[in-house]
Amino acid sequence: MSRSFFAKSFIRCVFLACVLLCSAATPALAKEKFKVAWSIYVGWMPWPYAEESGILKKWADAHDIEIELIQMDYVASIEAYVAGQVDACVMTNMEMLNMPAASGIDSTALIIGDYSNGNDALLVRDGLTAKTIKGQEISLVELTVSHYLLNRFLEKNKLEEDDVRVVNTSDSDIGPIFLSNDSQKAVVTWNPIVMQIEQNPGISKLFTSADIPGEIIDLMAVNTKTLKKNPALGKALVGAWYETMGVMSRRGSDADKALGAMAGKAESSLVEFKSQLKTTAMFYTADAAVQYAASAEIKRNMDYVRQFCFRHGLLGEGAESADVVGIQYPDGTIQGDRDNVNFRFDTSYMQMAADGKLKR
Amino acid sequence: MKFLSMYAKFGPVTSALLSASLFVACIAVYLTASHLRHQENPKDKVMPTIGKMWQGVENTAFKGDRKGDYRLWVDTWASAKRLGYSTLLLVLAVWLGLHMGLYPFFEAVFYRFILFFDKVPALALLPILFIIFGLGELSKVMLILLGVFPTIALDTYLRAKAVPREQVIKGRTLGASSAKITYGIVLPQIMPDVLNTIRLNFKAMVLFLIAGESLAATAGLGYRIFVVRRYIAMEIIIPYVIWMSLLAFVADLLIRLWIKKRYTWYQAQ
């Protein structure tokens, strides 16, 4: 008896394992519920606030869908997005280009939230200058916007990347490591780490994203296929976002309450959060974002970014030029490969918000 | 259902097939999933095909990158050096464990300290390590050491303790010096076990190596995996992981062979 019992349970286990494996391997079916990933960054803190205050739920209900916000680590969240585990995710223009778009995940920049206007910075010790930086070790997280910022700095000062030594340093410890090693003369990082480092004596900012305004853009990326199938998702997200923007840009206690909640989620104080907002050029109105997306400037800036990505192999090791990925702009023009458009600036939803045409 | 009984016997071929089955199943599941993903999106990077992975190998191992570096070899060498130094320094752990087991003074001073230290999660101390030892090689070697040194020392200690006291007394009555007893009687007996422990700790060492390299480095297998993650280059990451497993497996195998050859009397495996 025991033998056949064993055999049966064994077969049952195998069967169960198969079922589990299959169900894990099949891609998630389209459903009414959408998952949106976010990570902690000053320009994205309105999202958790929109959820907490009920604004997001209100807009989701109005469009008869469910939206679940999921907080993750930055890179992990984009990986989840690329793997198809979430439908939308906040990220910068650079990551959107070299992670989803270069992996063939057609993505739409649904909301242009802000651009970094000082949140990313090259900080130096002992008054190091562009002239004396040659040969120095520079800590940064390789292949991130920090790396991009450094490249733009070097470019502007007629230097090459080989003129400095880049040390890949994890963002989780880059602050304390830099502060405790006096031999380290330069570091590139982002807020709130910039703020923490800056407060120490003998440290100055040599170059920040305010020197290259509009180049590092923070977006809400949505899977284009999902968005096409479910315009409701786009409308609900955009509606919730600009309602939150409205609360934030109001003066007085309402805005302070909202900002305080955001600061709490970002584990910083209200004062710190406000000072980070100062180095973030938020597009508080849909109109402003739409205008920026329509500018000639954004094309030029995207070109800087894609050339950097190409030079560092981020568009694929075998890519022949920065043109492998097509980037589509609101006016229909395409930068790069027309047959491989995977990065779209689509302002139609933001336009609806600007015109007040979104159903609440 | 005879094959499930305790007394089942398998010929060499069946046995080999059974051993291979799970490997084949894993690879088949991967290939199917990868194929499905590629049907939906030919540019999928999350589960690259064999062909793409081979390209990844070619790009890293046989072609210089934009700086002209043959990355796989540069990384392997950088990581191997770190592991090599740490392994060499583990000789100290064996030495300490041996002395703790035989000399009450060493036991009194070190045993409780190391026992406690063994329970400290070294990874949580990483930032402090970087502050004390800087960003260079030293901090990475120290992390690996902090991670496995106490385990190896304690294991050696227990094994030295377990050598029958009678042998030590016998050695003494025959006129052996303390050094002779330590290095001539006790050490050779426990050596195969100690080597086995070191071997089994390879995995931990590799984990600590990757952790150290992910935090601050300019080359190394773990470093590369974390950097190329930035553009979802799974076609590089997967071969790197296989390569690391292979290297660890070979190191493990070498030690096992060495034990078999050098300590023919040792039957435990």
Side-chain angles (χ1 to χ4, degrees):
Chain A
M1 173 246 161
S2 70
R3 203 182 277 172
S4 70
F5 171 74
F6 249 138
K8 260 184 203 157
S9 55
F10 178 73
I11 290 170
R12 229 174 259 163
C13 281
V14 171
F15 179 71
L16 230 152
C18 285
V19 169
L20 280 176
L21 268 176
C22 291
S23 60
T26 40
L29 291 169
K31 50 189 180 289
E32 286 300 281
K33 192 172 174 181
F34 300 96
K35 290 180 179 167
V36 178
W38 68 280
S39 46
I40 292 186
Y41 171 71
V42 53
W44 295 324
M45 294 324 288
W47 285 114
Y49 172 75
E51 186 188 40
E52 202 183 61
S53 61
I55 295 177
L56 186 63
K57 185 165 184 338
K58 189 181 80 189
W59 281 91
D61 287 347
H63 288 89
D64 209 21
I65 56 170
E66 231 182 284
I67 297 176
E68 186 192 353
L69 277 191
I70 304 168
Q71 184 187 352
M72 295 180 82
D73 271 353
Y74 183 55
V75 177
S77 70
I78 309 175
E79 282 172 342
Y81 172 77
V82 172
Q85 300 297 311
V86 295
D87 305 291
C89 180
V90 289
M91 61 188 85
T92 70
N93 52 340
M94 182 172 139
E95 267 83 28
M96 180 163 157
L97 180 63
N98 64 41
M99 293 180 83
S103 320
I105 306 290
D106 191 337
S107 300
T108 299
L110 179 73
I111 300 170
I112 301 179
D114 69 274
Y115 63 80
S116 171
N117 197 24
N119 271 332
D120 300 84
L122 163 60
L123 298 147
V124 294
R125 223 190 273 283
D126 306 337
L128 208 67
T129 65
K131 293 214 171 61
T132 51
I133 206 164
K134 224 173 176 179
Q136 289 291 341
E137 223 169 54
I138 300 179
S139 288
L140 51 81
V141 188
E142 261 183 67
L143 310 183
T144 59
V145 289
S146 297
H147 202 169
Y148 173 77
L149 185 80
L150 176 69
N151 261 258
R152 294 285 289 131
F153 165 77
L154 294 172
E155 222 171 83
K156 288 199 169 194
N157 288 284
K158 309 265 181 306
L159 288 164
E160 302 277 322
E161 200 180 320
D162 288 343
D163 290 335
V164 294
R165 284 184 40 222
V166 170
V167 181
N168 187 47
T169 309
S170 161
D171 55 325
S172 54
D173 295 301
I174 196 165
I177 287 175
F178 177 72
L179 288 174
S180 60
N181 284 289
D182 282 343
S183 59
Q184 289 268 311
K185 300 291 182 217
V187 64
V188 190
T189 185
W190 52 77
N191 258 332
I193 314 172
V194 169
M195 237 168 51
Q196 290 157 6
I197 295 181
E198 199 184 13
Q199 284 161 3
N200 291 274
I203 289 168
S204 53
K205 281 182 184 166
L206 186 53
F207 191 76
T208 75
S209 48
D211 298 307
I212 49 166
E215 291 187 28
I216 300 171
I217 315 169
D218 300 307
L219 308 163
M220 167 60 81
V222 186
N223 188 306
T224 305
K225 251 192 240 162
T226 313
L227 185 62
K228 279 219 175 99
K229 231 187 275 168
N230 309 281
L233 174 64
K235 289 176 189 167
L237 285 174
V238 170
W241 176 259
Y242 287 107
E243 183 173 340
T244 312
M245 287 296 109
V247 175
M248 275 175 84
S249 49
R250 238 177 261 156
R251 288 191 188 273
S253 62
D254 265 10
D256 267 1
K257 235 167 83 189
L259 294 180
M262 290 178 207
K265 291 261 178 198
E267 275 156 43
S268 57
S269 70
L270 182 58
V271 179
E272 282 170 339
F273 189 73
K274 277 186 168 171
S275 96
Q276 287 179 45
L277 266 180
K278 275 187 201 139
T279 46
T280 313
M282 297 292 300
F283 293 109
Y284 283 109
T285 63
D287 224 16
V290 171
Q291 269 176 32
Y292 181 61
S295 67
E297 197 188 326
I298 200 170
K299 290 179 195 168
R300 192 200 62 204
N301 290 343
M302 282 306 295
D303 193 44
Y304 284 139
V305 172
R306 70 187 191 127
Q307 297 297 347
F308 168 83
C309 290
F310 166 67
R311 278 201 309 276
H312 287 80
L314 302 182
L315 302 180
E317 302 263 326
E320 280 172 7
S321 78
D323 283 333
V324 285
V325 178
I327 305 171
Q328 190 182 43
Y329 294 92
D331 60 4
T333 52
I334 288 163
Q335 203 171 33
D337 190 352
R338 320 198 125 262
D339 300 322
N340 188 31
V341 176
N342 280 326
F343 188 129
R344 299 169 199 271
F345 283 104
D346 180 355
T347 50
S348 55
Y349 291 90
M350 291 191 291
Q351 190 65 57
M352 283 183 230
D355 299 343
K357 282 188 186 150
L358 285 178
K359 175 176 86 177
R360 321 182 139 238
Chain B
M1 288 298 162
K2 219 173 170 181
F3 67 91
L4 277 181
S5 101
M6 261 175 149
Y7 311 104
K9 282 203 175 89
F10 299 112
V13 179
T14 334
S15 171
L17 280 178
L18 285 175
S19 300
S21 59
L22 281 180
F23 286 99
V24 173
C26 274
I27 295 172
V29 166
Y30 177 86
L31 289 181
T32 321
S34 165
H35 180 72
L36 287 177
R37 289 189 69 96
H38 274 79
Q39 272 188 330
E40 206 181 311
N41 170 15
K43 288 207 165 60
D44 181 64
K45 278 182 156 185
V46 181
M47 294 184 95
T49 57
I50 303 274
K52 276 190 190 164
M53 281 195 258
W54 177 245
Q55 252 175 19
V57 174
E58 262 187 339
N59 283 337
T60 50
F62 309 121
K63 276 188 213 151
D65 66 355
R66 286 170 168 78
K67 284 186 203 147
D69 286 338
Y70 290 80
R71 283 172 288 179
L72 183 66
W73 311 117
V74 172
D75 292 334
T76 307
W77 177 235
S79 292
K81 265 198 297 192
R82 288 165 193 149
L83 276 180
Y85 289 139
S86 334
T87 314
L88 278 182
L89 285 169
L90 282 182
V91 172
L92 279 178
V94 174
W95 183 86
L96 186 64
L98 181 67
H99 281 244
M100 277 177 1
L102 293 176
Y103 298 87
F105 173 77
F106 282 91
E107 188 178 14
V109 174
F110 290 105
Y111 177 63
R112 284 198 174 73
F113 181 70
I114 293 192
L115 197 60
F116 175 75
F117 226 76
D118 186 44
K119 303 291 169 285
V120 173
L123 280 179
L125 296 177
L126 252 179
I128 301 185
L129 283 187
F130 278 101
I131 288 165
I132 301 175
F133 298 108
L135 286 178
E137 298 303 302
L138 186 61
S139 54
K140 281 159 212 120
V141 171
M142 287 311 289
L143 173 66
I144 300 174
L145 272 185
L146 266 184
V148 294
F149 191 102
T151 316
I152 308 278
L154 285 178
D155 185 72
T156 316
Y157 161 81
L158 289 176
R159 295 193 189 281
K161 273 263 168 195
V163 172
R165 256 4 236 178
E166 290 86 340
Q167 288 190 18
V168 176
I169 295 167
K170 186 90 176 180
R172 236 181 249 304
T173 54
L174 289 175
S177 64
S178 290
K180 185 76 193 162
I181 292 171
T182 311
Y183 301 108
I185 297 177
V186 178
L187 184 62
Q189 287 192 61
I190 62 170
M191 207 51 203
D193 285 317
V194 170
L195 284 175
N196 263 328
T197 309
I198 295 182
R199 175 172 76 85
L200 293 175
N201 271 291
F202 271 162
K203 181 165 182 154
M205 290 173 72
V206 170
L207 280 180
F208 286 116
L209 172 79
I210 295 180
E213 289 182 339
S214 74
L215 219 59
T218 50
L221 295 166
Y223 156 84
R224 189 71 57 198
I225 287 177
F226 276 87
V227 168
V228 300
R229 213 182 134 192
R230 274 283 169 178
Y231 54 108
I232 320 193
M234 290 306 290
E235 80 275 12
I236 294 179
I237 296 181
I238 295 173
Y240 260 64
V241 170
I242 295 173
W243 173 239
M244 286 170 94
S245 318
L246 212 67
L247 287 181
F249 182 77
V250 167
D252 186 289
L253 185 73
L254 286 178
I255 294 195
R256 270 189 291 152
L257 288 177
W258 170 252
I259 293 174
K260 221 173 183 175
K261 184 171 175 296
R262 177 74 175 70
Y263 304 95
T264 32
W265 50 269
Y266 182 73
Q267 294 295 327
Q269 64 271 62

